[in-house]
């Protein structure tokens, strides 16, 4: 009985191509963990951009393989998908997700500061005298990993999202009846001044690598005759970069001349 070798190899080729295509895509490590890999900005790299939550899908951005975070200059822009909380009829709801990345500056550049901005809306309504609440909050945990390209061991720091509306220590807490409304815009910001941080520690140089993790939370609650809704719609992580002489490497021409000089010196020694 003869075997058609051409036809027997074809399924293997198809399988190998399919495996290679899957491996080339950003990965979903496990349920609730979503990874978009490395994303290049103009002067910085956002490395190992990853989300962790208890949901079946990403909340911060489109699912890996269908989109995801994008860089705009030196900013990482996130387009939240379904990052919302809603309550009615004597219920309460809480939604939480964590995003992490290592931000590394390109050679010759340093990280001076990081500015984070978030935007969304909320709605509160119902019968007079009935209660409903909505809130948004975020904590940013950051650790400087390198100064002028050299590894350092510095303490982890924390910064909160500050909102210009709502009650609470950082704003962002909305309650009936004072905050009643439909599609009311909220916005928040956080600033991480890395240059000032190094100066406070009397460290000369520029931050060239930093680990950033931030935890975003939305919460709502409502009684039997009220409703509450809140959603995140846009998140931007903007990096302000500057020159970092301590993070330079020789230009290609300089490197070539150094190598040529070393070769000529070796030749002279060999002739002697």
């Amino acid at each position: 009985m003869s075997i058609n070798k051409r036809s027997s190899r074809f399924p293997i080729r198809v399988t190998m191509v399919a495996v290679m295509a899957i491996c080339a895509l950003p990965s979903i490590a496990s349920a609730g963990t979503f990874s978009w890999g490395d994303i290049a900005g103009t002067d910085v790299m956002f490395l190992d951009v990853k989300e962790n939550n208890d949901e079946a899908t990403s909340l911060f951005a489109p699912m890996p393989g269908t989109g995801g975070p994008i860089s705009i200059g030196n900013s990482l822009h996130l387009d939240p998908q379904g990052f919302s909380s809603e309550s009615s009829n004597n219920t309460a709801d809480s939604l939480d997700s964590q995003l992490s990345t290592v931000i590394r500056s390109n050679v010759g550049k340093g990280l001076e500061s990081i500015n984070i901005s978030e935007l969304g809306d909320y709605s509160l309504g119902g019968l007079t005298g009935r209660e409903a609440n909505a809130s948004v909050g975020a904590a940013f945990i950051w650790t400087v990993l390198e100064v002028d390209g050299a590894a350092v061991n510095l303490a982890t720091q924390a910064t909160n999202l500050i909102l210009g509306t709502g009650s609470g220590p950082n704003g962002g807490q909305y309650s009936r009846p004072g905050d009643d409304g439909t599609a009311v815009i909220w916005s928040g910001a956080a600033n991480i001044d890395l240059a000032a941080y190094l100066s406070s520690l009397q460290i000369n140089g520029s931050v060239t690598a930093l680990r950033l993790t931030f935890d975003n939370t939305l919460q709502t609650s409502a009684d039997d005759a009220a409703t509450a809704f809140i959603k995140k719609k846009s998140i931007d992580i903007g990096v302000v970069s500057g020159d970092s002489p301590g993070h330079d490497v020789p230009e290609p021409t300089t490197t070539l001349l150094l190598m040529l000089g070393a070769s000529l010196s070796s030749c002279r020694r060999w002739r002697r």
Side-chain angles (χ1 to χ4, degrees):
M1 180 178 178
S2 63
I3 298 176
N4 187 329
K5 295 181 179 180
R6 183 183 180 90
S7 63
S8 66
R9 288 198 303 268
F10 180 73
I12 297 175
R13 289 178 179 173
V14 172
T15 302
M16 291 179 66
V17 169
V19 170
M20 291 175 65
I22 292 172
C23 291
L25 294 174
S27 63
I28 301 176
S30 62
T33 301
F34 312 96
S35 177
W36 294 278
D38 301 341
I39 300 173
T42 303
D43 298 322
V44 301
M45 287 287 296
F46 298 93
L47 304 174
D48 191 24
V49 180
K50 185 181 299 182
E51 177 182 1
N52 288 282
N53 59 41
D54 294 326
E55 309 298 319
T57 62
S58 164
L59 300 179
F60 272 102
M63 290 286 283
T66 65
I70 61 171
S71 64
I72 303 174
N74 285 332
S75 294
L76 185 67
H77 175 72
L78 300 135
D79 180 21
Q81 305 291 299
F83 205 151
S84 61
S85 175
E86 185 173 8
S87 295
S88 61
N89 196 26
N90 285 325
T91 61
D93 179 64
S94 179
L95 192 63
D96 182 89
S97 191
Q98 185 182 84
L99 189 82
S100 62
T101 183
V102 170
I103 305 174
R104 185 182 299 277
S105 63
N106 293 346
V107 171
K109 296 292 184 179
L111 310 175
E112 293 187 355
S113 65
I114 299 174
N115 302 305
I116 301 143
S117 60
E118 297 196 4
L119 179 71
D121 63 24
Y122 74 87
S123 297
L124 293 174
L127 297 180
T128 302
R130 298 307 176 93
E131 295 183 358
N133 304 277
S135 67
V136 53
F140 304 90
I141 312 301
W142 52 278
T143 309
V144 172
L145 302 177
E146 292 180 6
V147 173
D148 288 343
V152 294
N153 184 17
L154 298 178
T156 296
Q157 306 295 311
T159 303
N160 284 108
L161 184 73
I162 306 299
L163 290 97
T165 57
S167 62
N170 301 310
Q173 297 180 13
Y174 309 101
S175 302
R176 298 198 69 209
D179 297 313
D180 272 5
T182 301
V184 180
I185 299 297
W186 60 261
S187 63
N191 173 260
I192 301 172
D193 191 336
L194 298 172
Y197 172 67
L198 290 189
S199 178
S200 71
L201 299 176
Q202 298 183 334
I203 297 175
N204 294 321
S206 300
V207 174
T208 49
L210 168 125
R211 178 181 294 110
L212 175 66
T213 301
F214 62 101
D215 206 1
N216 278 222
T217 303
L218 297 178
Q219 293 181 323
T220 54
S221 63
D223 67 14
D224 61 347
T227 60
F229 174 84
I230 192 166
K231 183 175 184 178
K232 287 182 184 284
K233 292 189 171 181
S234 178
I235 302 171
D236 288 280
I237 305 170
V239 179
V240 177
S241 68
D243 294 333
S244 176
H247 195 213
D248 282 338
V249 296
E251 295 292 331
T253 303
T254 305
T255 303
L256 181 61
L257 290 174
L258 290 172
M259 293 174 63
L260 181 60
S263 298
L264 290 174
S265 177
S266 297
C267 288
R268 291 193 188 101
R269 287 197 299 270
W270 180 79
R271 285 173 181 170
R272 291 195 191 101

